[in-house]
């Protein structure tokens, strides 16, 4: 199979949208990502997958910390900014949790120290030990088939 077929197949898995952030030399860096998952409850661990060619790869290796902000359905412009699809720095506001930048008003911000990393193919899996979590109410921004959408939470 070619790379496009593989990418299209993986795009059929609906995901939430996150922005991964870190800080190096008092400068905030971020990238949009959907390769994020929880790994363990005890200890509390998450993982992110970063392409070796992404600027964020070296920044996380240097800082040894990262935050994952899970975006709300009102933050598509923030996602597009960090994905390089739309230059809109005015859409981005940061808060700091445990000294790490997070996206203001994100549904969740998960702040981590890197405890392990594994090079796998053209990506590295960074395992983060969760230091702190910040929660906000709202609906998630979704991504499916290369397009943004929303998922409304219904009470049954």
């Amino acid at each position: 199979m070619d790379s496009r077929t593989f990418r299209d197949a993986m795009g059929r898995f609906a995901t939430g949208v996150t922005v991964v952030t870190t800080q190096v030399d008092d400068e905030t860096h971020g990238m949009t990502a959907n390769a994020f998952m929880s790994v363990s409850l005890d200890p509390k661990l998450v993982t992110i997958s970063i392409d070796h060619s992404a600027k964020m790869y070296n920044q996380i290796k240097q800082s040894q910390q990262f935050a994952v902000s899970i975006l709300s359905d009102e933050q598509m412009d923030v996602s597009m900014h960090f994905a390089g699809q739309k230059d809109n720095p005015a859409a981005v506001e940061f808060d700091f949790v445990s000294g790490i930048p997070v996206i203001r008003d994100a549904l969740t911000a998960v702040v981590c120290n890197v405890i392990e990393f594994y090079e796998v193919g053209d990506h590295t899996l960074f395992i983060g030990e969760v230091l702190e979590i910040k929660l906000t109410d709202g609906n998630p921004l979704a991504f499916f088939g290369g397009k943004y959408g929303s998922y409304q939470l219904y009470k049954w």
Side-chain angles (χ1 to χ4, degrees), residues 1-154:
M1 95 197 71
D2 64 11
S3 293
R4 182 77 252 169
T5 300
F6 182 75
R7 188 178 183 110
D8 289 347
M10 295 302 101
R12 296 200 183 234
F13 181 65
T15 66
V17 180
T18 74
V19 171
V20 175
T21 50
T22 195
Q23 191 168 42
V24 176
D25 298 327
D26 294 326
E27 188 174 337
T28 297
H29 304 276
M31 68 173 276
T32 298
N34 64 0
F36 159 73
M37 69 177 201
S38 64
V39 174
S40 170
L41 289 175
D42 187 20
K44 291 165 184 58
L45 303 174
V46 299
T47 189
I48 55 174
S49 179
I50 307 291
D51 188 308
H52 295 154
S53 66
K55 291 178 187 175
M56 190 60 110
Y57 171 75
N58 286 323
Q59 293 159 343
I60 291 175
K61 282 192 91 169
Q62 185 176 348
S63 70
Q64 291 295 296
Q65 297 180 312
F66 64 88
V68 178
S69 297
I70 300 171
L71 301 184
S72 80
D73 60 0
E74 297 177 2
Q75 294 179 306
M76 186 171 71
D77 283 349
V78 174
S79 174
M80 292 177 80
H81 172 78
F82 284 107
Q85 298 167 334
K86 187 176 186 180
D87 188 22
N88 189 6
V92 181
E93 294 183 63
F94 295 104
D95 286 328
F96 285 81
V97 176
S98 295
I100 308 222
V102 300
I103 302 298
R104 181 171 292 158
D105 298 325
L107 291 181
T108 301
V110 181
V111 176
C112 304
N113 280 335
V114 173
I115 61 164
E116 295 282 344
F117 61 91
Y118 302 95
E119 292 188 12
V120 183
D122 58 3
H123 280 61
T124 291
L125 302 176
F126 289 94
I127 309 297
E129 181 176 31
V130 178
L131 302 174
E132 195 166 342
I133 290 176
K134 180 180 174 186
L135 300 170
T136 305
D137 289 331
N139 290 311
L141 181 61
F143 198 72
F144 176 79
K147 295 182 179 153
Y148 291 100
S150 63
Y151 174 82
Q152 301 299 313
L153 299 176
Y154 295 101

